[in-house]
Amino acid sequence: MQAAVANGVDGIVAECGGSCVCATCHVYVEPERFGEVPPATEDELELLDGVKAERRHNSRLSCQIKAAPGLTGITVTIPECQT
Amino acid sequence: MTNAGPHIVIVGAGQAGLQAAEALRSSSFDGQITLVGNEPHAPYHRPPLSKAWLTGELDAGQLTIRDTSVLVRKKIDFHPAVSVSAIDVDARTVLLGDGNRLNYTGLVLATGASPRPLPLSEGVGDAVRMLRSREDADQIAQGLKDCIQRGLPLVVIGGGFIGLEITASARKLGVPVTILEAAPRLLERALTCDMSRWYADLHSSRGAELIFDARIIKIAPSADGITEIHLNDGRSLQAGLVVAGIGVRPNDALARAAGIACDNGIVVDECGRTSNPDVVAAGDCTVRRLSDGTMLRLESVQNAVEQGRSAALALLGIEQPFLGTPWFWSDQYDKKLQIAGLSRGADAQAIRGDMAGNSFSVFHFRADRLIAVDSINAAKDHMVARQLIAGQISPTVEQVRDSSFNLATLRARPN
């Protein structure tokens, strides 16, 4: 999320600035690499219940995905809407 | 700086101003955009200033919303550290503090709000701090460090969100805190009595001292950096740092001087339009006139983001009213409060979960209709609440109280 927001990627709203309270930084993680991303906390799963766009099996809140060397090159897709 | 083509000037480079600028760029507008901010920084997140920024858990990069380079790439002409001294709506010009003049075809006012000054703090200089800007936060952070070094306490004046968040941050750092609240309870304007008590217990359990119905009669700073606060009941407190958080005032002076209608904020409609057809406004500086004539002031990130966009689009003649369910959050210690809707005028409450436990929500009803939900560590309740309130769907009190009942089954399917 930080990377998307700092670089002004349209479609990542992140109203709460990464505090895991707003569900406006929803992304779809590329399915093949979904398992490489550390799992979501219960808080995040509960927020994902309320995302505006369709929730899919590979839905995540990007503020909860920390960039790490192991995730180099991973692709996430931005949903149609956040709010 | 005259330009023949369309030129939208945005006064205020906080969240609302930034959103307005980007909404213009994301839409059809290809004219000139000038974003003027009186602070020396690129747009940054304000909410962490009372939390992770104070405790040193965030770096400057994480605080920044958009790097200046992004603004350049989006052809947003950003002028930091520039104040605006006047607006001439007839000539359609903005007079800058540096003497320059900007001609505009459309103007966005996103001037924010300022902390309400403490009546007794006149003449005490820096002895009483307030928090709005990054500089304010840096000074408070330094004050907390000094408190730690000298073993002195922090005194917080005002038991509202800002004061309580600063309290939580200070307690995390090990600084003793006393909160002085003029009302008989915390967060009186925002929460129910039960919730106020819950927050009082929370802060007490983390070692903060709370004094209610506090009447300060004198604030006496001394040369050694210790400030003495005298209360009308004879008590006096010594503080290494005093921070006051007693509410904000919308920055509407520029608009008022320009003849734009203001009423404790720049009066806007649901699209951010002001009384002047060339001028829109967004964020903390505004007050919205609702369809029933009542006035609504929201001070939240959501309002800044959504109104910023609506207002910018309104200048282009695009109607995209901000009608979403208001929401707000506050992090204190490990407790996450999320508020959906507006609870004013509520006539009944029902609690879901256990207030003595880790997670619960207070559902507010007016005439059996759900109008607001305050959730503590209950993100699921909050998200469902936002959807239910937006869809005007009300659960029964029994459904709310029955934690085995899935409230999400009530919501209209998203289209």
Side-chain angles (χ1 to χ4, degrees):
Chain A
M1 175 223 98
Q2 181 67 31
V5 169
N7 289 293
V9 175
D10 287 341
I12 296 292
V13 180
E15 281 183 353
C16 75
S19 303
C20 197
V21 289
C22 73
T24 61
C25 63
H26 180 201
V27 294
Y28 302 120
V29 175
E30 65 175 299
E32 297 74 27
R33 299 190 63 183
F34 186 72
E36 296 173 31
V37 180
T41 61
E42 199 172 320
D43 260 6
E44 183 187 342
L45 292 173
E46 291 186 352
L47 283 172
L48 281 167
D49 274 348
V51 290
K52 183 84 182 211
E54 182 196 354
R55 181 183 177 177
R56 299 180 193 155
H57 70 281
N58 56 339
S59 283
R60 290 295 303 266
L61 297 182
S62 55
C63 73
Q64 300 304 305
I65 304 176
K66 256 205 170 128
L71 297 179
T72 301
I74 199 164
T75 305
V76 300
T77 311
I78 294 164
E80 252 172 62
C81 55
Q82 298 283 359
T83 60
Chain B
M1 286 198 221
T2 43
N3 200 319
H7 180 197
I8 292 177
V9 173
I10 301 163
V11 181
Q15 183 71 265
L18 171 69
Q19 294 296 334
E22 294 194 329
L24 291 170
R25 272 297 170 254
S26 304
S27 72
S28 54
F29 187 73
D30 59 3
Q32 196 184 347
I33 300 172
T34 303
L35 178 63
V36 181
N38 60 0
E39 294 187 59
H41 311 285
Y44 61 88
H45 295 286
R46 275 186 215 285
L49 292 181
S50 53
K51 312 177 191 96
W53 184 254
L54 276 192
T55 51
E57 294 162 86
L58 213 63
D59 62 40
Q62 290 169 297
L63 196 67
T64 302
I65 310 177
R66 296 284 188 275
D67 292 338
T68 312
S69 60
V70 174
L71 300 178
V72 171
R73 197 183 72 216
K74 295 192 173 187
K75 297 195 177 66
I76 295 165
D77 195 5
F78 173 49
H79 296 265
V82 174
S83 62
V84 170
S85 37
I87 299 160
D88 183 337
V89 291
D90 296 321
R92 294 202 291 191
T93 58
V94 170
L95 180 64
L96 302 180
D98 60 13
N100 279 317
R101 216 172 264 276
L102 296 172
N103 295 321
Y104 65 79
T105 53
L107 180 66
V108 182
L109 296 176
T111 46
S114 299
R116 207 155 69 81
L118 193 68
L120 282 164
S121 65
E122 253 175 60
V124 302
D126 293 339
V128 176
R129 299 272 181 203
M130 290 183 292
L131 175 55
R132 180 71 186 179
S133 69
R134 189 170 149 180
E135 278 65 33
D136 296 337
D138 289 343
Q139 282 160 346
I140 291 169
Q142 185 56 50
L144 289 173
K145 278 186 195 143
D146 295 344
C147 282
I148 294 168
Q149 244 171 22
R150 304 176 66 191
L152 289 168
L154 159 71
V155 171
V156 170
I157 301 173
F161 287 115
I162 287 276
L164 295 181
E165 288 172 0
I166 293 171
T167 298
S169 300
R171 290 303 303 137
K172 265 191 198 172
L173 296 170
V175 177
V177 184
T178 300
I179 302 170
L180 300 178
E181 169 57 59
R185 59 186 180 95
L186 299 176
L187 296 162
E188 193 182 29
R189 284 181 307 149
L191 298 177
T192 62
C193 291
D194 283 354
M195 285 289 274
S196 293
R197 216 171 297 125
W198 187 88
Y199 267 106
D201 290 345
L202 171 67
H203 284 276
S204 300
S205 74
R206 304 298 167 105
E209 196 191 333
L210 285 83
I211 300 178
F212 294 105
D213 301 305
R215 296 288 175 275
I216 300 168
I217 52 172
K218 194 180 174 201
I219 297 171
S222 70
D224 60 3
I226 297 175
T227 300
E228 217 161 289
I229 298 176
H230 300 273
L231 304 181
N232 72 341
D233 61 4
R235 274 187 284 187
S236 73
L237 306 163
Q238 290 203 324
L241 175 67
V242 181
V243 181
I246 55 166
V248 298
R249 293 196 295 213
N251 296 332
D252 60 4
L254 270 179
R256 223 173 328 120
I260 295 164
C262 294
D263 181 2
N264 187 34
I266 304 170
V267 178
V268 295
D269 68 5
E270 70 280 2
C271 290
R273 290 175 287 225
T274 72
S275 61
N276 184 292
D278 307 317
V279 183
V280 295
D284 284 4
C285 65
T286 64
V287 57
R288 199 176 349 160
R289 195 190 302 278
L290 303 179
S291 51
D292 65 0
T294 57
M295 305 299 270
L296 174 67
R297 258 189 63 65
L298 294 174
E299 294 152 19
S300 69
V301 173
Q302 177 209 22
N303 188 53
V305 169
E306 303 289 341
Q307 219 174 29
R309 284 195 214 131
S310 288
L313 295 177
L315 274 184
L316 305 181
I318 302 164
E319 288 230 0
Q320 200 190 85
F322 163 43
L323 301 169
T325 306
W327 78 274
F328 177 82
W329 88 97
S330 175
D331 291 338
Q332 295 166 41
Y333 309 103
D334 52 347
K335 308 297 182 193
K336 211 179 266 294
L337 167 71
Q338 289 165 292
I339 298 178
L342 301 168
S343 60
R344 71 178 180 186
D347 55 26
Q349 275 86 26
I351 293 167
R352 185 172 180 84
D354 177 8
M355 283 189 84
N358 277 322
S359 157
F360 65 90
S361 297
V362 180
F363 283 62
H364 300 263
F365 295 87
R366 183 170 58 218
D368 296 325
R369 195 173 133 200
L370 181 67
I371 56 170
V373 177
D374 310 327
S375 303
I376 296 283
N377 290 355
K380 190 176 199 130
D381 289 352
H382 173 72
M383 293 312 288
V384 172
R386 276 161 72 170
Q387 295 164 341
L388 294 181
I389 295 166
Q392 301 194 356
I393 299 162
S394 299
T396 64
V397 166
E398 289 70 32
Q399 287 169 336
V400 167
R401 288 186 181 143
D402 178 3
S403 49
S404 67
F405 178 78
N406 182 2
L407 292 170
T409 57
L410 297 174
R411 69 188 174 196
R413 292 311 310 162
N415 43 37

